[in-house]
Amino acid sequence: MKSKSILVIGAGIGGIVAATHLAKRGMKVTVLEKNSRPGGRCDRFSRDGHHFDVGPTLLVMPLLYEAEFAALGAEASMREMLELQRVDPTYHLAFDNGSKLALTSDMESMRQQLEAFEPGSFQSLLRYIDEGDRHYHLGMEKMVNRDFRKATDFFNLGNVPLAFRMKPFANHYRNMSAYFDDPRLKAAFTFQDVYMGLSPFEAPATFSMMPYTELAHGVWYPQGGMYSIVEALVQLAARAGVEFEFEAAVERIDVNRNHAHGVVMDDGRHLRADVVLANADLPYVYKNLLPQDGVSKRLERKRFSCSVVSFFWGVDKPYKQLPPHTLFLADDYRDNFKSIIRDLDLPANPSLYIHAPARLDPAMAPEGQDTVIAIAPVGHMSENGEQDWAEIRDRAREHVFRRLRTIGIDDLQDHLKFEVNFTPLSWLKRYNLMKGSTHGLCHNLMQLGYFRPSNKHARYHNLYFTGASTRPGTGMPTAMVSGRLAAQRIMDEMIYD
């Protein structure tokens, strides 16, 4: 029997993983990527001996990564393919009043630190971790590893207890009052909601699974940076027979009635296929690659994640006092998220993240120098396009320098060799992320599980989707799950085609 041909639009994590699974089942798979290298928003660039991860800068949820690498049939384990080191403390948190907290799996250290903030808070942390443990394991089984092909996969008696056991209707930040009184501790164990593109003031308490997995399973860093994961996945794909074509932009998906025939490239080529799998940002696919049928407008009305302004700095001296991961958490935590989510702006006193990868891998910077990444969460692009991103970027830069001065680094701006910066406009232009939203559609309650867009088109029966804005959601390990689920659905439905 002739093998089926599959075109994958986009070489993001989900696209690479899906392509590998399909190729291993004998399909002829070609991945079309508009940029010059794979990875999508999990990108990398180098300049003057400095190496930068553009997207994620740390590996969380390692058990999920391990399971997905194993599902790909890798001869070596994930830990053998990636030279991982555990990052502990995971983060160094700095607060406005000068207090600091190092999040670590060393429970004695956590006890001493937390009790100095709030007497009795260490026992509260243990209770919170226990809740996170329950949410994590239920979430993996009932939500993350499911693609909910029909409503009854989600709405059934077996899932009713989840409404009580996973706290989907409880507000995450409000739920913290059951554990801590000190607002700094509430912030310390909810800021991870930003990974989902959410404010903790609207995120479901389900997401206590994130601080749990960081403390219980660890935060890790692969030698060479997070892009090493992309390289490992591409290696597995190539072994399976996947073909990649770079600098190959798709202009539209060729559809007729209820069938996708292939794609039309921006150079005019028509490529035919039995199946099309789109790994580009889902709202972008509906708006730019498909005929307009109302779905695109409905997607645009959904809630999008926030964005970020990122600075990538090559520095001519090392800053050894700068840990791998530093978070400056503002006292006006609630106002921060109001500015980002409601006002689509940069907060007046923003919380910031600083990454110094050379603390973990000295090869990320030339000897005697440093590589620094600074990230300021901001709102996504507005409908009217009135935001002045150059002005917002410049304000964010000054806030970074101001924050660094509070921990004794007052001369970094004098030692910059160069700067590369990304605003929401950059995320839109380079990665086709609608509204410049770095995490795609956000993960509020009505965009989780069955309520998240499906990985199959409702009309075109051989058009499928994978990636952040479809099921199960955003994040690198979740993108791997998304790729596997999409590939499995394609293979299952080919049997009955």
Side-chain angles (χ1 to χ4, degrees):
M1 185 179 72
K2 181 183 176 183
S3 63
K4 298 282 189 177
S5 61
I6 299 176
L7 289 174
V8 180
I9 304 171
I13 300 295
I16 299 169
V17 168
T20 306
H21 282 292
L22 292 165
K24 288 175 71 69
R25 293 288 293 268
M27 313 297 174
K28 178 177 172 50
V29 187
T30 302
V31 179
L32 306 167
E33 168 57 49
K34 84 178 190 76
N35 291 325
S36 60
R37 56 186 172 267
R41 72 198 81 182
C42 182
D43 205 351
R44 177 178 68 185
F45 73 91
S46 301
R47 180 176 294 185
D48 296 345
H50 300 266
H51 307 288
F52 302 90
D53 281 317
V54 172
T57 57
L58 41 79
L59 188 155
V60 297
M61 305 179 82
L63 302 187
L64 192 53
Y65 276 101
E66 287 183 337
E68 294 306 315
F69 267 90
L72 286 168
E75 294 178 3
S77 70
M78 176 198 74
R79 294 176 187 272
E80 291 172 319
M81 294 189 71
L82 304 174
E83 192 177 336
L84 294 177
Q85 59 176 307
R86 187 162 185 168
V87 184
D88 201 340
T90 56
Y91 308 95
H92 288 77
L93 307 183
F95 300 96
D96 283 350
N97 67 353
S99 58
K100 296 179 180 179
L101 176 63
L103 298 184
T104 172
S105 58
D106 180 341
M107 287 295 105
E108 178 56 26
S109 173
M110 286 296 287
R111 185 188 67 78
Q112 293 178 15
Q113 292 184 85
L114 291 180
E115 292 300 315
F117 276 77
E118 178 184 320
S121 58
F122 179 66
Q123 287 302 317
S124 296
L125 173 67
L126 296 181
R127 290 191 295 111
Y128 182 61
I129 289 175
D130 186 58
E131 177 184 282
D133 181 355
R134 182 176 72 251
H135 290 174
Y136 176 85
H137 288 94
L138 283 171
M140 291 301 107
E141 177 189 354
K142 300 292 188 179
M143 300 292 287
V144 173
N145 280 302
R146 305 283 297 280
D147 64 357
F148 303 110
R149 299 181 190 180
K150 55 186 186 297
T152 52
D153 291 341
F154 186 77
F155 298 104
N156 59 62
L157 291 175
N159 283 343
V160 170
L162 298 182
F164 307 97
R165 301 189 66 196
M166 293 186 67
K167 295 188 175 180
F169 303 111
N171 174 281
H172 195 184
Y173 191 84
R174 194 177 304 123
N175 185 58
M176 298 304 291
S177 296
Y179 300 99
F180 307 111
D181 293 323
D182 193 311
R184 293 170 297 175
L185 297 184
K186 292 179 182 180
F189 298 106
T190 58
F191 72 81
Q192 296 88 346
D193 292 345
V194 174
Y195 299 163
M196 306 292 119
L198 273 179
S199 158
F201 297 96
E202 61 179 348
T206 307
F207 289 128
S208 62
M209 67 170 67
M210 296 306 298
Y212 159 75
T213 186
E214 290 180 350
L215 290 172
H217 307 145
V219 169
W220 301 79
Y221 186 81
Q223 290 298 102
M226 291 294 286
Y227 197 77
S228 300
I229 299 171
V230 176
E231 293 174 324
L233 292 174
V234 169
Q235 186 180 66
L236 292 174
R239 287 179 188 167
V242 176
E243 295 183 0
F244 289 87
E245 188 175 334
F246 298 105
E247 298 183 328
V250 172
E251 184 175 282
R252 63 181 173 86
I253 299 171
D254 184 15
V255 295
N256 183 28
R257 295 190 181 135
N258 63 349
H259 192 80
H261 298 285
V263 301
V264 178
M265 308 299 291
D266 69 348
D267 60 7
R269 287 181 296 154
H270 288 243
L271 305 180
R272 298 186 68 83
D274 296 304
V275 172
V276 176
L277 172 63
N279 181 216
D281 188 39
L282 187 73
Y284 173 85
V285 173
Y286 274 96
K287 182 175 183 178
N288 296 88
L289 303 185
L290 288 170
Q292 296 304 293
D293 60 0
V295 177
S296 175
K297 290 295 184 184
R298 290 199 294 274
L299 283 174
E300 285 188 60
R301 289 194 294 269
K302 288 184 177 291
R303 286 288 308 281
F304 282 72
S305 68
C306 61
S307 189
V308 298
V309 172
S310 298
F311 300 98
F312 306 95
W313 290 322
V315 187
D316 67 11
K317 62 174 278 190
Y319 288 87
K320 299 291 187 183
Q321 69 270 44
L322 196 59
H325 304 292
T326 304
L327 271 162
F328 295 94
L329 292 177
D331 282 352
D332 45 359
Y333 193 56
R334 185 185 296 271
D335 287 341
N336 254 251
F337 285 103
K338 281 183 180 178
S339 295
I340 294 167
I341 304 298
R342 184 190 65 189
D343 303 333
L344 302 180
D345 200 357
L346 175 75
N349 177 35
S351 296
L352 301 168
Y353 166 66
I354 312 290
H355 177 45
R359 295 299 86 73
L360 300 168
D361 182 355
M364 300 300 279
E367 186 174 356
Q369 300 184 32
D370 219 342
T371 295
V372 178
I373 299 172
I375 297 176
V378 295
H380 60 64
M381 296 166 62
S382 64
E383 297 294 335
N384 57 30
E386 291 180 353
Q387 293 139 306
D388 184 341
W389 289 111
E391 187 272 334
I392 291 171
R393 176 202 62 202
D394 292 346
R395 274 196 285 134
R397 185 190 297 109
E398 290 307 310
H399 281 298
V400 174
F401 293 149
R402 174 181 62 84
R403 288 288 200 179
L404 288 173
R405 287 194 290 272
T406 67
I407 59 171
I409 298 176
D410 57 9
D411 63 345
L412 187 137
Q413 61 267 45
D414 299 325
H415 291 274
L416 297 184
K417 296 167 59 182
F418 63 84
E419 171 185 296
V420 174
N421 58 71
F422 276 36
T423 70
L425 295 172
S426 313
W427 302 110
L428 172 64
K429 180 179 179 180
R430 180 158 185 81
Y431 306 108
N432 289 336
L433 301 178
M434 288 279 289
K435 302 186 182 185
S437 296
T438 48
H439 298 78
L441 297 178
C442 78
H443 289 71
N444 62 2
L445 184 60
M446 295 309 296
Q447 292 178 183
L448 284 174
Y450 178 74
F451 300 112
R452 202 161 185 81
S454 173
N455 57 12
K456 183 181 181 180
H457 197 280
R459 176 178 176 184
Y460 308 118
H461 67 84
N462 61 333
L463 174 58
Y464 298 83
F465 308 104
T466 181
S469 292
T470 186
R471 300 168 190 159
T474 194
M476 283 185 70
T478 320
M480 294 182 71
V481 177
S482 175
R484 172 172 55 80
L485 293 177
Q488 187 60 57
R489 184 167 192 173
I490 291 168
M491 291 185 291
D492 288 348
E493 295 181 356
M494 273 186 172
I495 295 172
Y496 303 105
D497 193 8

